[in-house]
């Protein structure tokens, strides 16, 4: 019968049955072997606190009364056995001093004696007790001692396995670096949240903005230190609400405290303020920088995953509109971002399928209507439709997509220019639009040089077009330095859409550009006496003194062309001359209207050089 008990319990341990179920079965099987005994198993934690584990034949209120008692020399039979690390036999509970504080629990339910044996771990520390209660005053028999020895051994095996599993679970749900709960713990916590009452909880997603810079500048040891410091500060700022590290540089906090929920903006400010203190990391003073997105449980949020998605939307928007702050989700934000992400997916697919193509709009001399240059414009083919870049502009907010589009456009333009040169067309220059992502990537000059070198096209045929928003964004010296470096290599730069972004006339004193393209919004309003006319005339005079060429965009009527010409503007582009067309149509336009197309070949190069330096 003892062998049967061992097999049953060992099989349950091997199968991974819950510890409480295994202990309960062990008690029941032991009571079958000793019908006069009532079996009890307690556990003892590292602080010496007792916790009932199994006692199927004991009243539940009796077991509950033992919860939280600390082991000691006068703590009944079990607490004393754990304290002394040796078995304790109390033949008469009513008279034994070790039961003085607990006999009122045992005697009313008929318990008269208790024999308890400690369960020790491999280091000899108490982890539990195994006890027989008796309804008469007596001690154990030799047969019972043998049974209990086997049961204690089985308990030790079961408790050791539980400890190992607990350590494994802790490791599985704990981030080793920050020592915070990890993504798995976060997912489990979300799954356990009640979504019944709006406003009951909220979620913050916090993204560190400067981890990559710290890793690249000071090394990964400093970056790891930054993560630890940031995690500790975030956790302290939202305590007792739990904080999780859910990704490389991303943390999350599940907020349920009433005071925190009442002021989410204030809580976010507290987190950002806590992070803003300098930290000593690997011998460097580093200030953690973060952006926060937040969302609260709202009506209609039937699952926690919806709130999580909303917080991610808010974080995405916060990072796009201004890092270092907090954005709280509002209805409609997800729709905007979903559309943007859809654009990114569409463009990414078009890039893979080679459905991104280059169209060209001519730049002409206003007086002769001769084509002196082109602007390359990105188009996406979807079936038989050709989609303009404005319809998928949001996709360029993604760095990878933006850089891939630029690489694709440069390759196409370089091949087209090579074809036009081979045809003997006196081709002058083509403008290629570049984005902030291209500038920040640090690879633009190499990308450009490689694309045009493959086609054996001199870079003198290329003009880089940069919008004001990209070029003169607040404090964005990185872009300006990148442009300066490109100009130092002989490339010309055009400032596109002038007058619609951050630009002012004072910028022309410090910003290195070769060409200014007046935005079409000014051209559309041209008429005598209008403020736009005064602005255009003033800009033309300033540009002439600074040796900067000017191109008027959006020229659609003869009146506009005439007024621009009268004001001294020499170059323009717009629907009056041609919309953006594919390479075949562009070739036809160049063959018919390119400046110098009818001149003898020896004069063409000289003409191109002269025009290039107008």
């Amino acid at each position: 019968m003892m062998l049967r008990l061992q097999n049953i319990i060992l099989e349950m341990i091997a199968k991974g049955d819950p510890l409480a179920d295994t202990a309960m079965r062990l008690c029941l099987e032991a009571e079958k072997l000793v019908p006069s005994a009532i079996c009890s198993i307690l556990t003892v934690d590292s602080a010496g606190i007792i916790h009932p584990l199994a006692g199927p034949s004991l009243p539940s209120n009796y077991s509950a009364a033992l919860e939280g008692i600390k082991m000691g020399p006068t703590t009944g039979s079990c607490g004393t056995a754990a304290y002394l690390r040796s078995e304790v036999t109390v033949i008469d509970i009513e008279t034994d001093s070790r039961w003085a504080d607990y006999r009122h629990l045992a005697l009313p339910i008929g318990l008269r004696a208790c024999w308890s044996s400690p369960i020790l771990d491999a280091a000899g520390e108490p982890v539990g007790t195994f006890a027989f209660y008796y309804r008469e005053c007596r001690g154990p028999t030799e047969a019972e001692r043998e049974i209990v020895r086997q049961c204690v051994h089985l308990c030790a095996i079961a408790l050791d396995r539980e400890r190992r599993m607990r350590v494994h679970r802790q490791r599985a749900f704990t981030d080793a670096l920050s020592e915070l709960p990890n993504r798995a713990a976060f997912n489990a916590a979300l799954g356990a949240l009640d979504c019944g009452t709006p406003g009951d909880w909220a979620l913050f997603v916090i993204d560190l903005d400067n981890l990559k810079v710290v890793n690249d500048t000071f090394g990964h040891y400093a970056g790891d230190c930054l993560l630890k410091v940031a995690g500790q500060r975030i956790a302290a700022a939202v305590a007792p609400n739990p904080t999780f590290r859910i990704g490389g540089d991303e943390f999350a906090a599940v907020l349920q405290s009433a005071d925190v929920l009442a002021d989410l903006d204030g809580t976010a400010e507290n987190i950002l303020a806590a992070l803003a203190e300098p930290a000593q990391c690997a011998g460097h003073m580093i200030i953690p920088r973060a952006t926060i997105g937040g969302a609260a449980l709202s009506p209609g949020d039937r699952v926690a995953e919806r709130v999580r998605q909303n917080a991610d939307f808010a974080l995405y928007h916060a990072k796009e509109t201004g890092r270092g702050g907090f954005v709280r989700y509002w209805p409609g934000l997800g729709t905007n971002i979903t559309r943007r992400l859809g654009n990114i997916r569409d463009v990414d697919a078009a890039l893979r399928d080679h459905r991104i193509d280059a169209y060209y709009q001519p730049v002409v001399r206003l007086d002769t209507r001769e084509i002196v240059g082109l602007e390359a414009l990105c188009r996406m083919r979807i079936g038989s439709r050709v989609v303009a870049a404005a319809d998928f502009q949001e996709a360029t907010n993604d760095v990878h997509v933006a850089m891939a589009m630029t690489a694709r456009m440069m390759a196409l333009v370089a091949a087209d220019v090579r074809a036009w040169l081979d045809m003997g067309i006196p081709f002058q220059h083509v403008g290629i639009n570049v984005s902030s992502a291209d500038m920040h990537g640090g690879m633009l000059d190499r990308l450009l040089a490689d694309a045009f070198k493959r086609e054996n096209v001199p870079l003198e045929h290329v003009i880089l077009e940069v919008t004001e928003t990209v070029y003169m964004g607040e404090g964005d010296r990185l872009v300006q330095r990148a442009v300066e470096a490109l100009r130092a290599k002989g490339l010309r730069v055009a400032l596109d859409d002038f007058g619609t972004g951050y630009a002012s006339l004072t910028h022309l004193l410090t910003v290195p550009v070769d060409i200014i393209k007046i935005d079409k919004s000014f051209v559309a309003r041209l008429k005598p006496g209008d403020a736009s006319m005064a602005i255009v005339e003033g800009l033309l005079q300033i540009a002439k003194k600074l040796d900067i060429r000017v191109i008027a965009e959006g020229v659609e009527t003869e009146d506009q062309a005439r007024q621009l010409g009268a004001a001294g503007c020499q170059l323009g582009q717009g629907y009056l001359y041609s919309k953006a067309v594919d390479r075949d149509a562009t070739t036809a336009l160049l063959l018919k209207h390119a400046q110098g197309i009818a001149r003898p070949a020896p004069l063409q190069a000289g003409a191109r050089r002269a025009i290039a330096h107008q």
Side-chain angles (χ1 to χ4, degrees), residues 250-332:
E250 196 169 15
F251 297 85
V254 177
L255 309 174
Q256 294 178 283
S257 300
D259 57 333
V260 168
L261 291 172
D263 187 11
L264 291 181
D265 291 273
T267 301
E269 288 177 8
N270 291 340
I271 294 173
L272 294 173
L275 288 172
E277 292 295 322
Q280 183 70 243
C281 290
H284 305 282
M285 293 302 295
I286 296 171
I287 299 177
R289 304 291 187 189
T291 303
I292 305 175
L297 180 66
S298 302
D301 293 335
R302 298 182 179 179
V303 293
E305 185 60 31
R306 174 65 64 83
V307 183
R308 176 182 183 174
Q309 185 181 61
N310 291 345
D312 284 338
F313 284 150
L315 176 64
Y316 186 91
H317 185 73
K319 289 164 69 174
E320 280 203 333
T321 55
R323 291 175 179 266
F326 168 63
V327 169
R328 181 173 178 174
Y329 175 82
W330 69 85

Side-chain angles (χ1 to χ4, degrees), residues 35 97 107 116 125 134 155 167 190 207 284 289 292 316 348 360 389 397 436 447 453 457 480 505 538:
S97 61
L107 295 177
S116 181
E125 296 297 318
Y134 301 108
C155 282
V167 170
L190 279 187
D207 190 79
H284 305 282
R289 304 291 187 189
I292 305 175
Y316 186 91
D348 188 53
Y360 300 91
N397 291 328
S436 177
L447 187 68
K453 184 178 180 181
V457 175
Q480 295 186 27
L505 294 178

Side-chain angles (χ1 to χ4, degrees), residues 369-371 425-426 585-598:
R369 308 295 174 94
E370 294 172 295
I371 297 174
I425 295 173
T586 301
T587 301
L589 287 172
L590 289 171
L591 287 171
K592 188 175 182 180
H593 299 291
Q595 189 175 41
I597 190 69

Side-chain angles (χ1 to χ4, degrees), residues 198-523:
D200 263 6
W201 57 272
L203 177 65
F204 276 2
V205 183
I206 304 114
D207 190 79
L208 292 185
D209 296 329
N210 58 336
L211 177 62
K212 185 178 186 304
V213 173
V214 170
N215 280 334
D216 293 345
T217 306
F218 304 119
H220 287 273
Y221 183 78
D224 289 349
C225 175
L226 173 64
L227 285 168
K228 292 178 70 173
V229 169
Q232 292 166 359
R233 293 180 179 181
I234 295 168
V238 302
N241 301 281
T243 298
F244 307 81
R245 184 186 175 203
I246 59 175
D249 57 0
E250 196 169 15
F251 297 85
V254 177
L255 309 174
Q256 294 178 283
S257 300
D259 57 333
V260 168
L261 291 172
D263 187 11
L264 291 181
D265 291 273
T267 301
E269 288 177 8
N270 291 340
I271 294 173
L272 294 173
L275 288 172
E277 292 295 322
Q280 183 70 243
C281 290
H284 305 282
M285 293 302 295
I286 296 171
I287 299 177
R289 304 291 187 189
T291 303
I292 305 175
L297 180 66
S298 302
D301 293 335
R302 298 182 179 179
V303 293
E305 185 60 31
R306 174 65 64 83
V307 183
R308 176 182 183 174
Q309 185 181 61
N310 291 345
D312 284 338
F313 284 150
L315 176 64
Y316 186 91
H317 185 73
K319 289 164 69 174
E320 280 203 333
T321 55
R323 291 175 179 266
F326 168 63
V327 169
R328 181 173 178 174
Y329 175 82
W330 69 85
L333 176 61
T335 302
N336 295 337
I337 294 175
T338 300
R339 185 187 66 249
R340 188 177 307 140
L341 294 175
N343 282 337
I344 291 172
R345 286 193 297 270
D346 290 345
V347 173
D348 188 53
L351 285 165
R352 291 196 306 270
D353 298 340
H354 306 293
R355 291 185 286 106
I356 295 295
D357 208 349
Y359 273 49
Y360 300 91
Q361 186 173 40
V363 176
V364 305
R365 283 190 56 146
L366 296 178
D367 55 354
T368 65
R369 308 295 174 94
E370 294 172 295
I371 297 174
V372 299
L374 302 168
E375 179 181 357
L377 297 167
C378 187
R379 296 291 184 263
M380 178 169 62
R381 287 183 284 105
I382 302 177
S384 59
R385 292 191 302 120
V386 177
V387 181
D391 293 335
F392 54 89
Q393 182 65 32
E394 288 181 328
T396 60
N397 291 328
D398 183 273
V399 173
H400 301 293
V401 169
M403 294 181 69
M405 285 176 63
T406 300
R408 167 79 173 166
M409 286 294 291
M410 285 185 177
L412 292 170
V413 171
D416 289 340
V417 173
R418 180 70 267 161
W420 293 326
L421 292 174
D422 289 344
M423 294 172 66
I425 295 173
F427 183 81
Q428 295 181 43
H429 56 75
V430 60
I432 302 176
N433 292 281
V434 292
S435 67
S436 177
D438 299 314
M439 296 294 185
H440 285 281
M443 299 289 290
L444 182 60
D445 55 344
R446 185 183 305 175
L447 187 68
L448 183 68
D450 289 348
F452 283 83
K453 184 178 180 181
R454 279 195 302 270
E455 302 294 343
N456 194 26
V457 175
L459 290 181
E460 66 184 38
H461 292 295
V462 181
I463 295 174
L464 295 182
E465 299 199 10
V466 187
T467 65
E468 295 176 20
T469 306
V470 171
Y471 199 172
M472 288 175 282
E474 295 178 0
D476 201 350
R477 282 290 301 153
L478 179 63
V479 172
Q480 295 186 27
R481 286 195 296 268
V483 170
E484 290 168 0
L486 291 168
R487 291 184 77 246
K489 296 180 179 180
L491 284 163
R492 285 173 293 171
V493 176
L495 187 57
D496 200 8
D497 300 335
F498 186 85
T500 60
Y502 299 100
S504 70
L505 294 178
T506 57
H507 280 123
L508 300 181
L509 300 175
T510 57
V511 173
V513 295
D514 304 283
I515 300 166
I516 293 172
K517 302 188 76 173
I518 302 175
D519 187 71
K520 62 183 180 181
S521 60
F522 289 95
V523 175

